[in-house]
Amino acid sequence: MALYVQKFGGTSVGSVERIKAVAEKVKRFRDEGHQVVVVVSAMSGETNRLIDLASQINDEPTPREMDMLVSTGEQVTSSLLAMALHKLDVAATSYTGGQVGIQTDSAYTRARIQRIETDDIQADLDDGQVVVVAGFQGVDDEGNITTLGRGGSDTTGVALAAALKADECQIYTDVDGVYTTDPRVCSKAQRLSSITVEEMLELASLGSKVLQIRAVEFAGKYNVPLRVLSSFEDGPGTLIVAEEEEASMEEPLISGIAFTSSEAKLTLLNTPDVPGVASKILGPIADANIEIDMIVQNVAPAGDYTDFTFTVAKSDFKQTRSILQDQVIPALGGGELRGDENIAKVSLVGVGMRSHAGVASKMFRVLADENINIRMVSTSEIKISVVIDEKQMELAVRALHSAFGLDKDSIQGE
Amino acid sequence: MALYVQKFGGTSVGSVERIKAVAEKVKRFRDEGHQVVVVVSAMSGETNRLIDLASQINDEPTPREMDMLVSTGEQVTSSLLAMALHKLDVAATSYTGGQVGIQTDSAYTRARIQRIETDDIQADLDDGQVVVVAGFQGVDDEGNITTLGRGGSDTTGVALAAALKADECQIYTDVDGVYTTDPRVCSKAQRLSSITVEEMLELASLGSKVLQIRAVEFAGKYNVPLRVLSSFEDGPGTLIVAEEEEASMEEPLISGIAFTSSEAKLTLLNTPDVPGVASKILGPIADANIEIDMIVQNVAPAGDYTDFTFTVAKSDFKQTRSILQDQVIPALGGGELRGDENIAKVSLVGVGMRSHAGVASKMFRVLADENINIRMVSTSEIKISVVIDEKQMELAVRALHSAFGLDKDSIQGE
C-alpha cells in the first residue's frame, strides 16, 4: 500500500466527462489498496471567466479580492470530483486549501506555503477516504484566502506530498511526460523515463512548461518523488528525482534541449568601462520591472571600453531600448546601442555535462557545420545556452538533438 | 450615524452593471456617514448553473458536497462587490460566511445559525470599512461549509443585523415593498408602508414570496426592524415591525390578501369515526414526506361516521390519492374518496382581525354576492382562508380587496 498525491490540472478536469474520468482513475488506485489525496485545479476556462468578470468591474482589483474570487474555481472542481467519486462508491471528502490546513503568508496572488497541518487529512485517509483538495490556495494567519499564483496547484500537490511523506506526487497533465525537446519541432524527440530535479528546473525555466518551477524546487528541497503523467492515456510518464537517485547506469550526457524565441537582444558598444558600469546599465531597467535573462560583458583589450549585451522578453524590447537611449547612455557619457528582436535561445541541459568536458565545443561544432552563427553564449554547471538567428532555431534544435544522441532510435532502455 | 445591514438578492447582483449599481447605492449610505454591512446572494443563474453541473455528475450528491459547491456563488459576488466599491473609493472587504464568524449546525443544505462572532466585523466597521458578506452560508463546528437553504441570504442579513444590533436590516429585492395583494391580479393593490411580523409570516407562508419566512421569524424573535425595498428604484419600501411598534393609529382590519392555486383537495367521506382516525389517515401520508396544509373534519350528527378533508400540493395529489385508496381506506375499513385538483385558496390576513368580530361573516357575504361557493374554511388568530373553485380565484381576490377597503383610493397616509 502506497500513499499517492495526484494533481489534475484544468484541462484534465475541464468538463463533466473529464471529471468522471479522473474519478475512474482515482478509483483504480483505491481498488489496488493505495491511499490517495487528489489536488484539483479550476475547470479550464473558469479562472479566466472570473478574471474577466473582475476586469469589467475594476481594472485594478486588489489582490486580496482577486484571491477571494478566483479561489472559488478550485473549490467547485473539488466538490464535483468528490461527487463523481461517490457515484463510483468511493468514499471521498472535498476541502478548500484553508480547510485542509494549508497556511501561507499574506502575499495575495503569489502566496508561499508556510506550513500544512496534516492531522485531519491523515485521519480521513486512515478512515478510507479519498481526500480531494482545492489546489492553488491557502489561508493566511488571519484566515484570509490566498492563492499561490498561476500553476500553484502543482505546488499544492508537492507540498501536500512532502507534508504527508507520500510515496509519490503524480502530476497529471495533457502531455505524457517530459521530452528531450519539443516533439512539434523535432519529430525524433522522445519521452524521458527520468530526469533530475536540476535538469527539470533548467528545462522549465527555459520554456518547457510541463511543470511549475516552484513545484519542482519544492520537490527537490523536500525530496518528493515527482512523476509527470498524462490524464488521458495510461503510461509511466517521467519520474523527476534527486540526482543521487538517478536510476540510469549510463547517464546520458544531455537530457534535453530547450529553446525559445520569446527574447530580444540589446547591446551597448564602446561604453566607457567605469566601475559599476553593469549596475548603471541594468539598474534603471530593473527599476522598470523588466526582467533580464542572459548577460554577457566583454572588456576591450585596452581596458577602457566595454561591450555589454543582454536579453529581455520581446514584449519589453521597446521600453528597454528607450531606457538605454534616454537614461543610461547619457549617464554613462557614451555608448552605441544595437538591438535585435529576431533571435532565439537554444539550450542543452544535462547533469552529465558536469563530468564530461567538451560539450560546449561539440555544440559549437555542430552549429558551425550547419552554418549557424552564434551571437551570444552563456553557461551554467548543467546548461549551455546560445543565442542564434531566430530563423535557424528549429534547424539548430534538430541538429543538436541528433548529434547528442537524443533521437528516438539512439537511446535505449526507455 | 446608523448601522445598516443591506441584503441584495440574485437579481439585484445579476450582472456586472447591477453589481456596480449596488456599489453606488451602498456608497450613498456611506457618504451620509452610516456604517454598512452588505450581504449578497449569488448572481442570478449561478446557483442553478452549479446545481446543473452537480446533477450531471451525481443524481444524488451528498448535502455536504452540495454546500461546498453552491457556496462559491455568493463568495464570487462578495468579492466582485468589494471590487466595485473600491472602484468608487469606498473601503470594503469581502468575507465568506465562515470567515465572518457565522457558526451553524451541521444540517447541510438547511443549516441553522447558532452564533455569530461579530468582533472582526465591528472592528472593520469602526475602521471605516464596508463589510461585504457572502450570504446563505456558514461553517459548522468542524469548519465544514454549510448553507442555510434557498433564500438563506435573507436569514444571513437578519441574523447579522440582530448580532450587530443594527438600526435596520434592509432587504433589497425586485419589488418595491409588500403589497396588499398581487398587483398582477388586482390592479388596485397597493404597497403597505408597514406590516407586522405576524402578518408578514402569514402572507409569506401563503405564497407572497417577498421574504424568506425564516428571516421574518428571526427578525420578530430578535426585534430587528426589517425593511423591504427595491434595488432598482428609490422609495421607502415596507417596514416590517413587531406588533407593538405598529405606527398606524387607525389600524386597518385587513393588511393583505394572499392566494394560491398550487394545492389540491382530498376528501374521505363516510369514514368510520374510530378513535385516532385523523392520525390513521394522515400518518401514511406524512410517512411519504407529503406536506399537508389545511385540514377540516366534520363528524356526522349520529357520531359514527366522519368526513375528513385536507389539501396537499398539486404535485403530491396523485401519490396522496393512491395512499388513501390502497392503504388508508382498507385500514379504516371503509370510506369514499373524492379529489379535486381545481381549487384555489384565498386568505385574508390582518392583526386587526383579533379585535374586530365579523371579518369571517363579511368575507363569506362578499363571496356569496359574487356567487362564489366556499368548499372549505380554516382560520387562525390573524387569518381566514377559504378554498374555492380555481376559476373564481381572481374574482374573489378583487372583490375582497375592494370590500375590505384595500383599494388604492381607499387607504390614506401611504
Side-chain angles (χ1 to χ4, degrees):
Chain A
M1 187 189 79
L3 167 56
Y4 292 108
V5 175
Q6 304 185 318
K7 181 260 171 177
F8 292 89
T11 319
S12 308
V13 293
S15 67
V16 161
E17 282 64 39
R18 289 195 170 173
I19 290 171
K20 289 177 181 173
V22 168
E24 296 276 2
K25 194 179 279 285
V26 171
K27 178 180 161 60
R28 287 205 295 276
F29 280 82
R30 284 294 296 141
D31 288 349
E32 288 167 11
H34 303 300
Q35 295 184 322
V36 185
V37 174
V38 187
V39 176
V40 290
S41 298
M43 295 171 75
S44 51
E46 177 63 7
T47 304
N48 287 337
R49 182 183 77 86
L50 293 168
I51 290 172
D52 181 55
L53 277 174
S55 70
Q56 290 178 54
I57 285 179
N58 192 325
D59 41 7
E60 288 183 72
T62 62
R64 184 192 180 281
E65 296 302 336
M66 278 308 286
D67 283 359
M68 184 82 173
L69 179 69
V70 298
S71 62
T72 60
E74 284 73 20
Q75 184 175 333
V76 165
T77 314
S78 70
S79 56
L80 293 177
L81 180 57
M83 291 174 191
L85 286 163
H86 295 164
K87 184 73 181 176
L88 302 175
D89 288 325
V90 176
T93 310
S94 73
Y95 296 100
T96 63
Q99 284 178 327
V100 87
I102 298 178
Q103 295 282 330
T104 72
D105 59 23
S106 297
Y108 298 115
T109 74
R110 50 188 173 81
R112 299 218 157 229
I113 295 174
Q114 292 184 319
R115 61 184 181 282
I116 300 183
E117 289 148 20
T118 55
D119 291 355
D120 289 349
I121 305 181
Q122 195 62 59
D124 273 8
L125 290 172
D126 294 344
D127 189 37
Q129 301 268 329
V130 171
V131 176
V132 184
V133 180
F136 173 66
Q137 59 186 255
V139 290
D140 70 7
D141 286 340
E142 295 185 342
N144 297 300
I145 295 172
T146 56
T147 69
L148 309 178
R150 278 251 169 202
S153 292
D154 287 357
T155 306
T156 303
V158 175
L160 278 170
L164 291 162
K165 299 184 175 46
D167 294 281
E168 197 166 278
C169 179
Q170 303 180 330
I171 308 283
Y172 289 86
T173 71
D174 46 6
V175 297
D176 68 348
V178 181
Y179 274 70
T180 49
T181 196
D182 187 337
R184 286 169 302 185
V185 164
C186 178
S187 62
K188 291 177 175 169
Q190 52 189 330
R191 186 178 49 76
L192 293 161
S193 62
S194 73
I195 185 171
T196 70
V197 168
E198 281 177 293
E199 289 168 330
M200 190 65 210
L201 287 176
E202 291 287 5
L203 287 173
S205 65
L206 292 169
S208 303
K209 301 186 191 72
V210 178
L211 277 173
Q212 207 207 8
I213 290 180
R214 270 172 63 197
V216 178
E217 284 173 350
F218 221 104
K221 188 171 170 187
Y222 292 99
N223 213 10
V224 175
L226 192 60
R227 190 181 292 276
V228 177
L229 310 108
S230 166
S231 298
F232 307 113
E233 40 191 271
D234 292 329
T238 297
L239 185 65
I240 300 158
V241 292
E243 194 181 345
E244 54 268 33
E245 294 173 19
E246 175 92 10
S248 154
M249 286 288 287
E250 197 162 345
E251 199 169 82
L253 202 55
I254 300 298
S255 287
I257 301 177
F259 54 90
T260 176
S261 58
S262 66
E263 296 184 17
K265 183 167 76 85
L266 290 132
T267 301
L268 270 182
L269 292 170
N270 298 320
T271 306
D273 189 25
V274 296
V277 62
S279 75
K280 281 184 180 138
I281 295 173
L282 300 183
I285 294 165
D287 290 346
N289 281 317
I290 294 169
E291 273 194 50
I292 294 152
D293 181 30
M294 292 172 75
I295 301 171
V296 172
Q297 184 178 12
N298 290 321
V299 180
D304 46 359
Y305 282 89
T306 184
D307 295 345
F308 196 94
T309 304
F310 60 95
T311 63
V312 296
K314 271 200 171 77
S315 54
D316 291 327
F317 178 70
K318 287 200 175 63
Q319 192 190 352
T320 309
R321 197 173 53 187
S322 301
I323 292 170
L324 291 174
Q325 198 69 62
D326 304 341
Q327 298 177 39
V328 173
I329 292 178
L332 288 171
E336 190 185 331
L337 183 60
R338 301 276 169 82
D340 190 351
E341 290 185 278
N342 301 310
I343 61 160
K345 183 171 71 168
V346 176
S347 306
L348 300 185
V349 173
V351 292
M353 231 182 257
R354 279 192 191 130
S355 47
H356 289 76
V359 172
S361 63
K362 181 173 177 183
M363 183 185 197
F364 301 157
R365 192 175 64 243
V366 170
L367 296 176
D369 288 349
E370 301 289 341
N371 283 318
I372 296 170
N373 194 20
I374 298 170
R375 316 274 194 85
M376 214 172 156
V377 178
S378 161
T379 61
S380 77
E381 209 181 353
I382 65 165
K383 179 192 73 174
I384 304 173
S385 299
V386 296
V387 167
I388 59 174
D389 189 322
E390 188 175 2
K391 288 198 298 285
Q392 295 177 304
M393 180 177 77
E394 301 197 0
L395 172 62
V397 170
R398 282 190 289 263
L400 292 167
H401 200 268
S402 184
F404 281 92
L406 297 175
D407 284 358
K408 255 180 194 161
D409 28 10
S410 61
I411 295 187
Q412 296 180 336
E414 264 292 295
Chain B
M1 186 190 82
L3 168 56
Y4 292 109
V5 175
Q6 304 184 317
K7 181 261 171 177
F8 293 90
T11 318
S12 309
V13 292
S15 68
V16 161
E17 282 63 39
R18 290 195 166 172
I19 289 171
K20 289 177 180 173
V22 168
E24 297 276 3
K25 193 180 279 286
V26 171
K27 178 181 161 60
R28 287 204 295 277
F29 281 82
R30 284 294 295 141
D31 287 348
E32 290 168 9
H34 303 300
Q35 294 185 322
V36 184
V37 174
V38 188
V39 175
V40 290
S41 298
M43 295 171 75
S44 51
E46 178 63 7
T47 304
N48 287 338
R49 182 184 77 87
L50 293 168
I51 290 172
D52 182 56
L53 277 174
S55 71
Q56 291 177 54
I57 284 178
N58 192 325
D59 40 8
E60 289 183 70
T62 62
R64 183 192 181 280
E65 296 301 337
M66 278 308 285
D67 283 358
M68 184 83 174
L69 179 69
V70 298
S71 61
T72 60
E74 284 74 20
Q75 183 175 335
V76 165
T77 314
S78 69
S79 56
L80 293 176
L81 180 57
M83 292 174 190
L85 286 163
H86 295 164
K87 184 73 181 175
L88 302 176
D89 288 326
V90 176
T93 310
S94 72
Y95 296 100
T96 64
Q99 284 178 325
V100 88
I102 298 178
Q103 294 283 330
T104 72
D105 60 22
S106 297
Y108 297 114
T109 74
R110 51 189 172 81
R112 301 220 154 224
I113 296 175
Q114 292 184 320
R115 63 184 180 283
I116 300 184
E117 290 148 18
T118 55
D119 290 354
D120 289 348
I121 305 180
Q122 196 62 59
D124 273 9
L125 290 173
D126 294 343
D127 189 36
Q129 302 268 330
V130 171
V131 175
V132 184
V133 179
F136 172 66
Q137 57 185 256
V139 290
D140 69 8
D141 287 339
E142 296 185 342
N144 296 300
I145 295 172
T146 56
T147 68
L148 310 178
R150 278 255 168 195
S153 291
D154 287 357
T155 306
T156 303
V158 174
L160 279 170
L164 291 163
K165 299 184 177 42
D167 294 281
E168 197 168 279
C169 179
Q170 303 180 330
I171 308 283
Y172 289 87
T173 71
D174 46 6
V175 297
D176 68 348
V178 181
Y179 274 69
T180 49
T181 196
D182 188 337
R184 286 169 301 185
V185 164
C186 177
S187 61
K188 292 178 175 166
Q190 52 187 330
R191 187 178 49 76
L192 294 161
S193 62
S194 73
I195 184 172
T196 69
V197 168
E198 280 177 295
E199 289 169 330
M200 190 65 210
L201 287 176
E202 291 287 5
L203 287 173
S205 66
L206 293 169
S208 304
K209 302 187 191 74
V210 178
L211 277 173
Q212 209 208 7
I213 289 180
R214 269 172 64 196
V216 178
E217 284 173 350
F218 221 102
K221 188 169 170 188
Y222 293 99
N223 213 10
V224 175
L226 192 61
R227 191 181 292 277
V228 177
L229 311 108
S230 166
S231 297
F232 308 114
E233 41 191 270
D234 291 330
T238 298
L239 185 64
I240 301 157
V241 293
E243 194 181 345
E244 54 268 37
E245 294 171 20
E246 176 93 9
S248 156
M249 287 288 287
E250 198 161 345
E251 198 169 83
L253 201 58
I254 300 298
S255 287
I257 302 178
F259 53 90
T260 177
S261 58
S262 66
E263 297 185 15
K265 183 166 76 82
L266 289 133
T267 302
L268 269 183
L269 292 170
N270 299 321
T271 306
D273 189 26
V274 295
V277 61
S279 74
K280 281 184 179 139
I281 294 172
L282 300 184
I285 294 164
D287 290 346
N289 281 316
I290 293 170
E291 273 195 50
I292 293 151
D293 179 29
M294 292 171 73
I295 301 172
V296 173
Q297 185 177 11
N298 290 322
V299 180
D304 47 357
Y305 282 89
T306 185
D307 294 346
F308 195 94
T309 302
F310 60 96
T311 62
V312 295
K314 271 200 171 77
S315 54
D316 291 327
F317 177 71
K318 287 202 174 63
Q319 194 191 350
T320 309
R321 197 174 53 187
S322 301
I323 292 170
L324 290 174
Q325 199 69 63
D326 303 342
Q327 299 176 39
V328 174
I329 292 180
L332 288 172
E336 191 184 332
L337 182 61
R338 300 275 168 85
D340 189 350
E341 289 184 278
N342 301 311
I343 61 161
K345 182 171 69 167
V346 176
S347 307
L348 300 185
V349 174
V351 293
M353 224 180 263
R354 279 192 193 130
S355 47
H356 290 75
V359 171
S361 63
K362 180 173 177 184
M363 181 184 197
F364 301 159
R365 193 176 63 243
V366 170
L367 295 175
D369 287 351
E370 300 289 341
N371 282 319
I372 295 170
N373 193 21
I374 298 170
R375 317 273 194 86
M376 214 171 157
V377 179
S378 160
T379 61
S380 78
E381 210 182 353
I382 65 164
K383 179 191 72 174
I384 304 175
S385 300
V386 297
V387 166
I388 59 174
D389 189 321
E390 187 174 4
K391 286 198 298 287
Q392 296 177 304
M393 181 176 75
E394 303 198 359
L395 171 62
V397 169
R398 282 189 290 262
L400 292 166
H401 199 268
S402 183
F404 280 91
L406 298 175
D407 284 358
K408 255 178 194 163
D409 28 10
S410 60
I411 294 187
Q412 295 178 337
E414 263 294 295

